[in-house]
Amino acid sequence: MKALFGHLVRPPVLWITLALGLGLPILLARALYLMMSDATSAEVAADGFVLSVIGAMGLTLGFIGLLMLARLLLRYGGGTFSVARTVLDEALHMKIAIVFIVLLLVIVPTLPFIADSADPLRYRVQGFLSYSMTVTVILLSLLTIFLACWTLSGEIENKQIFSVATKPLSRWRYLLGKWVGIVVLNGILLFVASVGIYSYTMFLSQQQATEEHDRIALDEEVLTARIAQRAKPSQPLEDVVRQRLEQLQRNDPDTIRRTGEQQAHELGVANAGDNMVMELGLQAIQQQMFEQVERQWRSVAPMGATSFVFEGLEDAHRYSDFIQFRYHARVTEEVPDGQIGVIIEINGQPSALNVVIGQTQVMPLPVELIQDGRIDLTIHNRSPQNPNASRDITVVFDGSDGLEMLYRVDSFGPNFFRGVLANWIKLGFLAMLGLTAASFLGFPVASTFSLMIFIAAAASPFLLETVGTYGAGPGLTGAVQGGMSSFSTMISSTLQRFAQYGPGSDIVDGRYFGWASVGGCLLWIGVIWTGGIGLVAALIFRNRELARVQV
């Protein structure tokens, strides 16, 4: 029992415990008064400081309690768990780790009360979810990397590893214990922070909405879990491109040849044969044609019409009586009041649709419109009031989510905690990455290397998009540029699964983050990535000479 409470008499935990003991009763009484009195939601929200402090203290109590429980449980299980228990103790003595822990326990309860109460409730809840989840992931990722690098390299540099090396504990079990300790600490912090985020989200959702539509949008578009089916063309775009390319090959092969010669020059390929020139030209023109055809498909010409197909809606009947038609459009010319009316035809049934330019809108539709698991939709660029009136404006539905059909399949709570589980798996990978780097590098280099990998993995979609916009120049410079571009593309493509299994945007936008995504994250990041670099770390650390015996 003495060992169990040993850490409560050591700073900074001592000061946290004293603050809790002195301040919590007062603030708890204030919170009970707010909840039991006739105070309005606005008055409760105005007392944000009190509620923030109460939240910070509650999260701190939860963290200390779970940490004590984890230390108690890790006393059983042998040497590996003993190493893991030591990691928890080291985290409370590492200044930078304490900074990250305190920041996490303070920032999360503060974020709900920094938004303007005049903003729509939906945006306040979405803003809190986005910021709190982002802050939590960033702080825990940095904590994981620095702690993983320091707990191993620090013991080697300070020669504390010698006392471990003399014990009957294999080096791979020693590394495993380090990893288990960091994973347990992450699990505690992530659980505490997530409970705080969920609780404050529910608290914010009970505040007064600016209007009835705002309340409906919050319930149906944020605090939910929806599956989205994106629009598809009635004819596959690949078929359209292939037909146009075949026609160009028959009627104008010189254009293909000139394009191929230009591509060969940009790539620095000298003396390219005719077959290679034609192949390069076909590839470049095919890419240009596909982009052009896709832009044309997403554009509704003046007085024209474009058809869209939404498939995979068979299960919508099981969950709700309606589905949501989500659209976002821009126009090629300015329009009065920033909005334009069009005619929308769903399965042959026409109706008017008001499009607010540059704003995402959602229109509920009855599930009875679904036929054989699909909805056929045609947008006519005509005025609903006067269909024959001339119009010179093109309506464009940009982006992959410019036109979607969504239906609810789950509630917010399970969706949120599935996302938390995926983030925990990713933190486990970062813990093993830091240990692997520290197995052969010192702390500064190991932490820098791990941070670079983490940033590249998190930003891989942006890097892939950026690299794709730059072409290589001619000559040696072009070859170097091409090589660097290829290397960047390879690294980003390898690491893009890290960002692919990021649940943040899905949860904030009320989209379904399912068990298939959690399973994919566990398989690729939790097993293949973590297990692979863990094996590398074990091999390196096993063969590393920790000390020389001198006679």
Side-chain angles (χ1 to χ4, degrees):
M1 186 64 66
K2 179 179 179 181
L4 178 62
F5 292 96
H7 281 271
L8 290 180
V9 298
R10 302 176 186 175
V13 180
L14 172 62
W15 302 110
I16 297 175
T17 307
L18 289 176
L20 288 170
L22 295 175
L24 187 58
I26 300 174
L27 294 174
L28 185 58
R30 174 61 175 166
L32 290 174
Y33 167 76
L34 288 172
M35 287 185 281
M36 297 178 64
S37 66
D38 295 330
T40 64
S41 60
E43 292 172 335
V44 174
D47 214 340
F49 174 76
V50 174
L51 297 176
S52 295
V53 175
I54 292 175
M57 289 186 169
L59 296 185
T60 305
L61 274 177
F63 168 68
I64 293 176
L66 291 175
L67 186 65
M68 292 168 55
L69 178 61
R71 294 185 73 255
L72 177 63
L73 295 177
L74 289 174
R75 295 180 62 182
Y76 309 97
T80 299
F81 285 178
S82 297
V83 175
R85 190 167 178 265
T86 303
V87 172
L88 298 181
D89 297 341
E90 291 176 348
L92 296 180
H93 291 84
M94 186 179 176
K95 294 181 180 179
I96 192 171
I98 290 295
V99 169
F100 287 132
I101 293 173
V102 172
L103 283 175
L104 180 64
L105 297 178
V106 171
I107 291 178
V108 169
T110 305
L111 286 174
F113 306 101
I114 63 175
D116 189 350
S117 58
D119 292 339
L121 183 58
R122 170 192 176 183
Y123 296 143
R124 277 184 277 158
V125 173
Q126 282 187 315
F128 168 69
L129 276 173
S130 178
Y131 289 130
S132 59
M133 293 179 66
T134 301
V135 167
T136 299
V137 170
I138 291 177
L139 287 178
L140 289 183
S141 297
L142 295 177
L143 168 64
T144 299
I145 289 173
F146 288 126
L147 180 58
C149 293
W150 173 250
T151 188
L152 184 58
S153 62
E155 289 190 359
I156 295 175
E157 293 174 5
N158 297 330
K159 298 180 173 49
Q160 297 175 353
I161 194 71
F162 296 161
S163 60
V164 178
T166 58
K167 296 180 180 180
L169 182 68
S170 59
R171 293 192 181 184
W172 73 267
R173 290 182 59 195
Y174 175 75
L175 279 177
L176 180 62
K178 292 286 187 183
W179 181 77
V180 169
I182 299 172
V183 169
V184 169
L185 179 63
N186 278 331
I188 294 172
L189 288 169
L190 192 59
F191 176 79
V192 169
S194 299
V195 169
I197 293 172
Y198 180 82
S199 300
Y200 277 110
T201 299
M202 295 298 101
F203 168 78
L204 285 177
S205 68
Q206 299 305 314
Q207 302 302 304
Q208 185 175 359
T210 56
E211 56 183 2
E212 183 63 24
H213 174 73
D214 186 26
R215 170 63 60 183
I216 295 175
L218 174 64
D219 294 336
E220 300 295 338
E221 300 174 32
V222 180
L223 301 181
T224 183
R226 303 170 295 169
I227 287 180
Q229 299 296 344
R230 293 173 176 171
K232 297 180 180 180
S234 54
Q235 180 183 8
L237 299 182
E238 292 80 2
D239 294 345
V240 178
V241 171
R242 185 175 62 253
Q243 293 171 6
R244 293 188 181 184
L245 200 60
E246 291 175 352
Q247 184 178 4
L248 182 64
Q249 286 178 286
R250 291 192 303 267
N251 300 334
D252 193 5
D254 291 338
T255 297
I256 301 176
R257 182 174 288 103
R258 287 194 299 269
T259 304
E261 291 173 350
Q262 182 180 357
Q263 290 293 310
H265 177 71
E266 292 179 355
L267 294 173
V269 180
N271 301 323
D274 188 67
N275 290 337
M276 183 176 183
V277 167
M278 295 297 289
E279 183 65 27
L280 290 173
L282 283 172
Q283 292 177 359
I285 293 177
Q286 183 179 22
Q287 179 64 29
Q288 295 171 4
M289 278 187 175
F290 188 85
E291 294 174 357
Q292 180 184 17
V293 169
E294 186 176 25
R295 284 195 302 268
Q296 292 175 347
W297 167 63
R298 294 188 177 278
S299 303
V300 188
M303 307 302 292
T306 302
S307 297
F308 304 93
V309 176
F310 300 90
E311 298 177 328
L313 302 174
E314 295 87 354
D315 294 335
H317 296 272
R318 297 170 49 192
Y319 301 100
S320 179
D321 295 330
F322 67 93
I323 57 177
Q324 298 171 337
F325 172 46
R326 183 179 184 271
Y327 56 98
H328 181 99
R330 63 179 178 86
V331 293
T332 55
E333 303 287 343
E334 291 187 7
V335 295
D337 302 326
Q339 54 187 342
I340 186 174
V342 298
I343 298 175
I344 180 173
E345 185 180 342
I346 303 177
N347 294 342
Q349 302 179 21
S351 62
L353 180 69
N354 183 55
V355 178
V356 179
I357 306 306
Q359 179 177 323
T360 300
Q361 297 172 264
V362 176
M363 175 182 179
L365 300 174
V367 293
E368 287 76 19
L369 291 175
I370 301 174
Q371 297 180 359
D372 297 326
R374 62 181 277 168
I375 287 180
D376 294 309
L377 181 148
T378 302
I379 296 178
H380 300 265
N381 192 357
R382 297 173 180 267
S383 171
Q385 292 76 24
N386 190 358
N388 296 322
S390 179
R391 174 180 283 181
D392 298 327
I393 300 172
T394 300
V395 182
V396 183
F397 297 91
D398 279 332
S400 57
D401 57 350
L403 288 169
E404 292 181 308
M405 291 287 179
L406 303 100
Y407 59 93
R408 182 173 185 163
V409 296
D410 204 351
S411 57
F412 171 76
N415 202 45
F416 174 74
F417 283 101
R418 282 192 296 267
V420 172
L421 182 57
N423 283 330
W424 191 28
I425 295 171
K426 293 165 68 175
L427 289 172
F429 163 72
L430 292 180
M432 187 58 74
L433 174 65
L435 291 172
T436 303
S439 66
F440 64 96
L441 298 172
F443 174 73
V445 181
S447 56
T448 303
F449 172 79
S450 301
L451 280 173
M452 291 175 61
I453 297 296
F454 166 62
I455 293 173
S460 55
F462 171 76
L463 293 176
L464 283 172
E465 182 179 355
T466 303
V467 170
T469 60
Y470 291 95
L476 179 60
T477 303
V480 174
Q481 291 176 345
M484 294 179 62
S485 176
S486 299
F487 178 75
S488 300
T489 302
M490 180 187 67
I491 296 297
S492 300
S493 300
T494 303
L495 299 175
Q496 66 177 334
R497 291 187 186 275
F498 191 88
Q500 175 185 342
Y501 293 116
S505 59
D506 288 339
I507 293 173
V508 171
D509 200 28
R511 294 173 185 263
Y512 182 65
F513 189 83
W515 285 112
S517 298
V518 176
C521 182
L522 178 62
L523 173 63
W524 282 100
I525 299 178
V527 177
I528 298 177
W529 287 17
T530 304
I533 62 173
L535 180 60
V536 172
L539 293 175
I540 294 175
F541 195 60
R542 185 186 66 179
N543 297 316
R544 181 173 179 178
E545 185 177 2
L546 299 177
R548 293 191 178 187
V549 180
Q550 297 181 353
V551 180

